[in-house]
Amino acid sequence: MSHRQDDLVRSFFRPSEIPRVTLNVELEAQSVAGYGGDRHGADAEALQRSQRLLSIVTHDDGKVEEASFIVFKLDSQLQITATSPITGDVTLAVSQAKQQSSESLSPTASPTPAASAFILTIGSNSEHISPQAFVTRDVQKLQAFSAEYRRLKAIAVSRKLNTSDNFLWLRPYQMSLQTKVIDLRTRRIPLHGRLSKASAGLPGNDFLDISRVQDEWVRRAATAKATIGHKSLRLRLGSFNVNGKIPSQDLSPWLRGLAAKNSARQPWISPLEPHSPLELLCDSPSEEEDKDDLLTKPATNNTLEMKGGDPDIFVLGFQELDLSTEALLYATSSTKEEMWTTAIFAGLGEKGVLYEKLVSTQLVGMLLIVIVKKVLRLCFTDVRFCYAGAGIMGFMGNKGATAVRLEFTPAPPGDSRLTSTQPTALTFVNAHLAAFDGMVERRNYDFHDLSARLTFPSDGGAGYDTTFNLYQCDVLFWMGDLNYRIDLSDSDIRTILASHPDGDGGVQSMVAYDQLRSAIHSNEAFSGFVEYPITHLPTYRYAVGISRDPLGYDTKRKPAWTDRIMHMSSPDIDFKQLRYGSHPEVTLSDHQPISADFHLPLAIVAKRTYEEHECELHRELSGYSESGKKPRIKVQTSSLDFGPIFYKCPIKKSLVLLNDGDIPCLFRFLSAAPDAPVSPNWLHVKPTVGLLRPKETTAITTVAYVDDAVASKLNLRPPRLEGTLILHTALGKDHFISVRGDYQYTCFANTLERLARLPGPVRKLQTPEDLVPSTQAVNAPREITRLINWMMTSASEIGAFFGRPARRKLCATIRECLDTGDEFPSTTTEGDRNDLSAAVATTLVAFLDSLVDSVIPPSLHARCLQAKDREAAFELLDEFPRGSINVWISLTAFLHYVGRRLSGSGKDRSQSIRDQALRVATFFAPILLRDDPSGEFPRVSPIGKRDFLLHFIA
């Protein structure tokens, strides 16, 4: 090795690292193959690519000398290709190579005797680490190299060095080796969840935590520094089970049309989306924002426009393309694919000339086609595909999945001289899972099986030598005929659909029984995937030439949302879904096609600039760690007092941290006990982990917020809230911040029995035990009686209860009046009174929904469904808990009154009364007969719940 190369290697490292011995080597696979003497005329370029420098580099922090093998590729500059820390498990084997001819040597090497070629194999006693083999001909340096290895190996053995607790100095040099595409399942774990387990008195691994936080911080900081612009990618995904049919119909409604909107009317209720308390903090809402949508808002806005015009990429998945018997044996005929590809471009109409097919992959009846805009074709690289069967006997191709992985690399800005930017990896899966209602466990199994078996091997191209699993990407889409069904009886489903032929509230009541939603919620399958709210009618099974019901469904198969599109994305990507729906205009199959539109904003990151900043920042942080100085954090205050804390009223306070030391420091909040949260249940802290450079500050956001789950516990405790936040500085001292507040008791999130024993307004309680004896309890909670009485005597228009959105501030005022006993606000105009009516009605529904126990206990639900007439239903009241009877009677009397008032007058009034009663019962039955969240008592039919309530209000 030349002196120039020695100097180059020394200059690559920091002063704390010393290259002890460096050898000129070649990759064994390229060199040893020719050591039989028949490599005459060997490819000089290939030999040049195989050349490496192999160094033993040491690092001494004054306590122990650590060392590592480091492999360089000598291009225009040194580039590390591998590191191997010298621990007690690492081995170095040296053996003489077979006879070689001088022609096998690289063009720059001098001819030497065959006996001077030696093979070096760096291995490990661990079976999980693959050995690395090299060839060298420098005998003199090889002797020094082996001697230095033996010396350092002895130190590693005696000091028990391992890669978990040692070799942190290697991190800056290893960054260029790490794959840029980490498994999505890991990336989606919050940073604090990836740190070592630690709590008060049980320290974690600070060195490991520092390494992980630094990696994350450096990645984000380098990305910010290297971002030179932004680009948006517009995607439309579609899935269609064609039932073996040929494309005999225009596909433009699917490819170019909007997803079907189910109803222009607004449903009475839709599931409220859970919000983080941190998201609730904002300035006072505007007039338009000050609306509580509990009773009026649709599930979602399903008609957002795709920004920027037409999609940049279409990804279309087909199932049951071929139903022939021969197809089960993995037939590879492309006839059907060509037919559907032609139909797709025909469906694009005059815009078809703007697109071209990028890739397709087919497994029997499953076909996945990717079509992109021609102007972006060169931006899509490293396109790979794979497939796996999961059908008959677990391998035949009637069920399974096809998948495509590609990288989108946005072009640099027009005036930029950059030639390379960071790519974004997208993966698309088109699956067809096991059919029939009772096969849900098989579908869950197939999902996990396909997730493991679908891998994208290298295509052997330059730079594409890594095999990726399904989740090694930035965004993963999973679509297809997943065959999940609805866990309701056929009659219940058809009754709900017949009652809501335009979708409306019927969709929401059935989604709660969807098998796929249940599998995601229980983490049995598709954990981490997100599906846009469903607002379209079930897409299966439509009857084609066979017996069908009035909505067109096959009378012999239960309708279901078998066709789905879901996604999982990196938390670094501001990913938005714009639309999700079906296309009933396309009727050639027993399934309706579905589509979803996405907007993907991407940062244009200069690749070389990113790598330079990444290495620079890691070296900076590592340099500080070598200084021997202690990290120091200064906390602005040692206590936070939130004052009065009200139900569902967030209170925000900031905690400012300053790095008062001379080196970067890691901070994290610790829990007081193992596996406990880092803050009391009424307090939320963000962020819980971070890194500060010297003299930097950061503001920690703390939010006191009490929801139903928290209120149900705080209502039973003394009102004084106190706790301690433990702020840990890695390798430094801990800080303790006391937090306190005064909880204001609320009537929400209580039991009916406890509410009936309140001596007056709940806010007047001094302790949670200040209740009257059960023998002196009132018949029904005063709060419910008060709300019902107001609505029956003070509202000028019954329709105002449910016909307009309620203002959030007004709802909060009504809640406070219930808690304190104050009078409800007075009104002077018709509009103000209607607003107040809507707020009171919304508060009643929220109150009932917040109750700890259902008005009718789940243990009685099955008995309720057995009551087939009004008399039997009233007899069952005797078995209700004492606290439920009068509440039920009061509520049903009010709902009866509402139904009759909403029905109007005229010759069709009787039918109108029945229709309004049906609507009221459909809305309130799931609230009054709430399912058992523990699962001890099975869920019963929603139609049965509705019919039981109808016995009292019809």
Side-chain angles (χ1 to χ4, degrees), residues 620-639:
E620 173 192 336
L621 296 180
S622 297
Y624 281 120
S625 66
E626 301 297 328
S627 67
K629 297 180 180 180
K630 287 285 187 180
R632 296 200 311 269
I633 279 186
K634 184 177 181 180
V635 184
Q636 175 192 36
T637 180
S638 60
S639 65

Side-chain angles (χ1 to χ4, degrees), residues 447-486:
F447 161 75
H448 291 290
D449 181 53
L450 292 170
S451 293
R453 292 168 54 206
L454 288 169
T455 58
F456 300 96
S458 166
D459 64 359
Y464 305 136
D465 55 356
T466 303
T467 295
F468 294 109
N469 71 35
L470 207 60
Y471 295 86
Q472 284 180 286
C473 57
D474 295 294
V475 187
L476 168 61
F477 300 91
W478 195 302
M479 60 184 171
D481 180 1
L482 306 186
N483 259 319
Y484 285 92
R485 308 305 170 97
I486 302 171

Side-chain angles (χ1 to χ4, degrees), residues 937-950:
F937 298 99
R939 293 190 299 183
V940 300
S941 161
I943 299 300
K945 294 180 183 180
R946 182 201 69 182
D947 291 346
F948 179 75
L949 181 54
L950 278 173

Side-chain angles (χ1 to χ4, degrees), residues 51-108:
Q51 290 184 335
R52 299 289 187 271
L53 298 178
L54 176 61
S55 292
I56 293 180
V57 180
T58 62
H59 171 89
D60 194 338
D61 61 0
K63 299 178 181 178
V64 62
E65 185 178 17
E66 300 174 355
S68 175
F69 295 113
I70 295 184
V71 183
F72 295 96
K73 181 179 180 181
L74 186 57
D75 201 350
S76 57
Q77 61 180 7
L78 287 181
Q79 178 183 349
I80 294 179
T81 62
T83 64
S84 182
I86 299 178
T87 65
D89 290 331
V90 172
T91 61
L92 176 67
V94 180
S95 60
Q96 191 168 1
K98 296 179 180 179
Q99 182 180 4
Q100 64 171 330
S101 64
S102 61
E103 291 87 347
S104 67
L105 302 178
S106 66
T108 59

Side-chain angles (χ1 to χ4, degrees), residues 361-520:
T361 178
Q362 182 177 354
L363 173 64
V364 192
M366 291 163 286
L367 170 65
L368 186 60
I369 300 177
V370 180
I371 295 171
V372 301
K373 279 186 174 177
K374 293 178 179 178
V375 294
L376 296 176
R377 172 62 183 84
L378 296 180
C379 296
F380 293 97
T381 57
D382 194 13
V383 180
R384 313 185 190 194
F385 60 87
C386 62
Y387 52 77
I392 299 172
M393 299 173 62
F395 65 87
M396 298 189 74
N398 59 321
K399 296 292 190 292
T402 56
V404 168
R405 185 187 190 277
L406 53 84
E407 293 185 355
F408 177 76
T409 306
D415 57 349
S416 173
R417 298 181 180 180
L418 297 172
T419 58
S420 180
T421 58
Q422 293 275 40
T424 297
L426 307 175
T427 297
F428 306 92
V429 180
N430 171 41
H432 193 188
L433 304 184
F436 304 113
D437 284 36
M439 297 291 284
V440 61
E441 291 185 3
R442 176 68 197 201
R443 288 188 279 275
N444 294 342
Y445 170 82
D446 285 346
F447 161 75
H448 291 290
D449 181 53
L450 292 170
S451 293
R453 292 168 54 206
L454 288 169
T455 58
F456 300 96
S458 166
D459 64 359
Y464 305 136
D465 55 356
T466 303
T467 295
F468 294 109
N469 71 35
L470 207 60
Y471 295 86
Q472 284 180 286
C473 57
D474 295 294
V475 187
L476 168 61
F477 300 91
W478 195 302
M479 60 184 171
D481 180 1
L482 306 186
N483 259 319
Y484 285 92
R485 308 305 170 97
I486 302 171
D487 281 332
L488 289 173
S489 68
D490 183 83
S491 61
D492 277 3
I493 294 174
R494 295 185 194 277
T495 300
I496 293 173
L497 290 174
S499 302
H500 305 85
D502 293 323
D504 206 350
V507 167
Q508 297 307 316
S509 62
M510 290 194 302
V511 166
Y513 296 84
D514 176 66
Q515 291 179 346
L516 178 55
R517 292 293 177 92
S518 299
I520 294 174

